[in-house]
Amino acid sequence: MRRGRQRRGVLPAALVAAALLAALPASRAGAFPVGGRDTVLPAGSELDEDALDRPREVFRAEAMGGAKSYLVRLGDMAFSAPSLLGGMARRAGIACNACHVNGAGNPRLYIPGLSTRPGTFDTTGGVFNPPADNGVLDALTPPSLRGARLLAPYGHDGRFASLRDFVRNVIVDEFAGPEPSPAILDGLVAYIQDIDFLPNPRLAPGGALAAGASASERRGEKLFRKPFPRRPELSCAACHLPSAAFVDHRQHDVGSGGEFKTPTLLNADVNAPYFHDGRYDSYAQVVAHFDRVFALGLAPRERQDLVAYLTAIGDGVRPYERDGVEPRLKEIGEFASLLATAIPAGDREVVALTVATVGGELRELTEAFPDRKDATVVDGRTERATARAALKERVLDLRRIDAAVAAGHLDEAAADYAAWRKLMASTVPEALRAAERWSLFNPDLHDAHYGALRLLSQQADKAAR
Amino acid sequence: MQSFVCAGRLVLGGILLAASLAGARAATIDESVERYRAYIIGNVDEALAGARGLRERIAAKDLAGARRAWIEARVGWERAEVFTGGFVSDLDDKIDGWPNATTGFHAVEAALFVRGTTDGLAPEADKLVLHLTDLDLKVHQMRLSGQGMLDGAARLTYEIGESKADGGESRLSGTSLDDMVNNLAGLEQAYSVIFAAPLATADATLARQAQAQIERLSTLLTVGDLRRVDPDRVRAASEDLVVTLQAAAAALGLRRPTLEMLVQ
């Protein structure tokens, strides 16, 4: 859950209020406000890091009643570690998780010069790794990684048969990162392979509609399996195999500008924008595309039926969950639990990466409790300060642990870590819960705060011009 | 802006030297704090002079001059943050509030650097001068303590480690890196005048460590452009230094500094 960072700056309240009304279409400010000539990412960049609703992540191991393995937890943590990447991504604090939020996609991701529309990104754009620049703006959607273990080959064009090779390529070639250690790479692969689809009770085993489907969905299912009139060897289901997560592991030219792999349709309700370049916002547009390209001659009702069917098979239970103190602490606790293994093993690399990543998350969580200079929040000063102090102290504890491990004092580090866990299970959650009402997890304060910041960045862009 | 930074570093080198010589006479911490008062007064005077200049340039409708004066006023202010963060956070809010305060430096910044006008800013500049005058008074009269200075130093050091990847605090004027550099300069001042000598006596290893960590932070911030700052390294260096300052507290017979001002 890599999110916002310390954001400072001031504007007169009246100006803020006026511009808020004028400039913000939605109630959620929903932006990573960067602004001015000093930012690492281009002005106008949007990572949606402050969204209050976060994609829900389901793990295979947990779904089967087990616990996440060390390797999966290591990958999960590395997935949120900006220091894994190099160059600009690292300086901008971008980790894998910025684009594949909790293993899903990021429909609001927009980086001027690298995105052709929200929810796309050009991985060969040269900003993050100049040598990788292919000179063309060919922005792609970051695919959801739910069920990725079933979805080889990798990349929209399916150019990598191996997930491990793809991930290495992302780190080293696309984001100019240092060569990752085999352990970290194994961890990332294990983590991605453990991200499951959200369960969908509307589907029976084998990918057929479950009992209780509507008449329209049933008609849609039939159409989905029906041979195309002009190309009888084809049907939707011939490429999107219902029994195989709706993929065939092959690339096809479906009239979208080249050969692309068949994407899964599971949980796809939350995967818009669709197609490799995110050109379509809705199933209706996708169905219209196939109708046109393959001359299917669908009647309006048939199109509706197909859309109803896609919506049924693309469903998922509770796709989002509310951000707040509890989910943050849970994730922080899980990431930090790597130390229980890495400290006794004297694994400096994992200790350092964990300390950097967890420390970063703790610092971000601190900023969810505005300090006294922030006039958007008036009450709960003492509670907020207590929460901030508790989190800052835990950041420093981790720094001490890192130093102890680097100096070979493993017993001391282990004792410090045990003390840290105790505080993270008692004092810290108490302090955070007591202050949560006055935190940015409160939607009203959230909107006021980020609204002001969004305005500030717009102002800063103007000043820089 | 660059010139402030360089000048600051030269001056500091001198202070460091003077401080360690003075330290050989084993002043108590509270005596050193008294000596440090002169530096804070200097910083706040500088901020106040800048704010007065700002007021004057605004009255003269001189936009370029007002922008320069704003930047000059910031230098002293940011250097004084060891003190303001440790002792007078109520004034701190009025002078340096964010992200939507109605008064203070950043309100003026928005007008000067975004709207590009001095119109209507006179009352705002008056208030800034007023608050800084108030601060000046407090700096002269307030009882200072080694504990408060160490608290302020630890808090400020931690803050320097916060990511500025989004443009930072003074993004409208594009001087966020200067803020950080001046924060560090103030910190260096406070450390060398107040704590360096007693710490060298109490625990020479810790003293060397603190010195090296301050220098490391300084190197990491001497990059000329906020975009070239490596946030991970700055963060780690800032946290290392806070950890050292916390350890120094025990060696100096002070309480471990807290990172937030909890009682007000």
Side-chain angles (χ1 to χ4, degrees), chain A residues 6-11 37-39 90-91 356 363 372-374 376 388 392 395 399-400 459 463, chain B residues 93 96-101 106 110 113-114 158 166 169 173 227 230 232 235 239-240 246 256 260:
Chain A
Q6 170 64 3
R7 296 144 184 206
R8 311 189 74 186
V10 174
L11 280 182
R37 62 192 135 208
D38 276 352
T39 57
R90 175 191 155 100
R91 272 180 285 123
R363 276 198 183 248
R372 46 177 305 140
K373 285 187 184 184
D374 187 340
T376 27
R388 290 173 63 84
K392 288 180 175 184
V395 170
R399 192 53 67 193
R400 273 185 280 268
Q459 300 279 333
Chain B
D93 302 351
D96 204 24
W98 72 279
N100 48 4
H106 297 296
F113 293 90
V114 183
Y158 190 92
D166 57 354
E169 175 174 347
S173 53
R227 285 169 296 197
D230 184 321
D232 283 346
R235 207 190 88 199
E239 289 165 10
D240 283 339
Q246 287 187 332
R256 185 168 152 144
E260 291 282 325

Side-chain angles (χ1 to χ4, degrees), chain B residues 200-233:
Chain B
T201 312
D203 187 332
T205 314
L206 264 186
R208 271 196 302 276
Q209 196 170 308
Q211 197 54 57
Q213 286 165 342
I214 290 174
E215 276 157 26
R216 165 132 182 92
L217 258 181
S218 171
T219 307
L220 288 172
L221 293 183
T222 310
V223 289
D225 181 337
L226 190 62
R227 285 169 296 197
R228 281 204 285 273
V229 170
D230 184 321
D232 283 346
R233 294 211 174 96

Side-chain angles (χ1 to χ4, degrees), chain A residues 299-340:
Chain A
R301 198 187 75 166
E302 289 177 316
R303 287 193 186 189
Q304 281 166 22
D305 291 342
L306 268 175
V307 169
Y309 171 72
L310 290 172
T311 308
I313 63 168
D315 202 358
V317 173
R318 276 203 300 124
Y320 297 98
E321 77 195 348
R322 225 347 123 87
D323 196 6
V325 164
E326 301 305 329
R328 296 273 189 122
L329 287 179
K330 178 168 177 275
E331 183 178 80
I332 287 170
E334 258 180 36
F335 289 178
S337 72
L338 292 164
L339 295 174

Side-chain angles (χ1 to χ4, degrees), chain A residues 22-352:
Chain A
L24 293 177
S27 70
R28 289 281 168 284
F32 165 45
V34 296
R37 62 192 135 208
D38 276 352
T39 57
V40 178
L41 291 178
S45 291
E46 173 108 35
L47 298 181
D48 202 24
E49 286 189 307
D50 57 293
L52 274 177
D53 288 318
R54 316 287 301 167
R56 187 166 72 100
E57 199 166 17
V58 186
F59 293 96
R60 201 152 56 111
E62 288 180 345
M64 298 189 310
K68 271 181 247 171
S69 68
Y70 175 79
L71 211 52
V72 169
R73 281 178 288 134
L74 177 59
D76 195 355
M77 185 274 292
F79 201 75
S80 284
S83 49
L84 196 69
L85 305 179
M88 187 199 267
R90 175 191 155 100
R91 272 180 285 123
I94 289 187
C96 314
N97 201 55
C99 298
H100 307 277
V101 185
N102 287 353
N106 184 347
R108 299 197 55 175
L109 170 72
Y110 188 87
I111 300 180
L114 290 174
S115 299
T116 42
R117 49 164 297 163
T120 65
F121 178 81
D122 184 357
T123 50
T124 52
V127 173
F128 287 93
N129 187 12
D133 191 356
N134 65 358
V136 197
L137 180 56
D138 40 9
L140 304 170
T141 60
S144 164
L145 303 180
R146 288 177 175 137
R149 72 180 185 284
L150 306 171
L151 305 177
Y154 298 99
H156 282 290
D157 55 4
R159 65 194 181 282
F160 281 90
S162 141
L163 180 56
R164 198 173 199 277
D165 292 348
F166 189 93
V167 170
R168 187 198 161 273
N169 149 77
V170 169
I171 297 172
V172 178
D173 299 329
E174 291 177 356
F175 291 101
E179 186 68 42
S181 73
I184 298 281
L185 210 46
D186 288 344
L188 281 167
V189 169
Y191 160 71
I192 293 171
Q193 288 182 331
D194 207 51
I195 306 173
D196 218 342
F197 289 113
L198 302 167
N200 180 2
R202 298 165 80 177
L203 274 181
L209 283 176
S214 74
S216 173
E217 288 160 10
R218 294 257 174 241
R219 288 194 302 270
E221 184 172 41
K222 261 202 198 112
L223 279 168
F224 193 79
R225 293 165 190 260
K226 188 176 140 187
F228 289 174
R230 304 258 176 101
R231 305 268 306 269
E233 79 282 9
L234 284 184
S235 68
C236 309
C239 296
H240 299 281
L241 271 69
S243 58
F246 294 87
V247 298
D248 62 354
H249 307 286
R250 286 170 206 274
Q251 295 96 312
H252 305 275
D253 184 346
V254 293
S256 63
E259 297 240 319
F260 299 99
K261 76 165 174 174
T262 308
T264 184
L265 303 179
L266 292 176
N267 296 161
D269 288 3
V270 288
N271 287 351
Y274 300 112
F275 277 37
H276 67 284
D277 53 3
R279 66 178 70 182
Y280 296 129
D281 288 313
S282 68
Y283 286 145
Q285 290 169 345
V286 172
V287 169
H289 172 97
F290 282 105
D291 192 8
R292 180 164 37 79
V293 170
F294 291 95
L296 302 181
L298 296 173
R301 198 187 75 166
E302 289 177 316
R303 287 193 186 189
Q304 281 166 22
D305 291 342
L306 268 175
V307 169
Y309 171 72
L310 290 172
T311 308
I313 63 168
D315 202 358
V317 173
R318 276 203 300 124
Y320 297 98
E321 77 195 348
R322 225 347 123 87
D323 196 6
V325 164
E326 301 305 329
R328 296 273 189 122
L329 287 179
K330 178 168 177 275
E331 183 178 80
I332 287 170
E334 258 180 36
F335 289 178
S337 72
L338 292 164
L339 295 174
T341 307
I343 292 172
D347 186 340
R348 287 189 198 182
E349 184 199 24
V350 170
V351 170

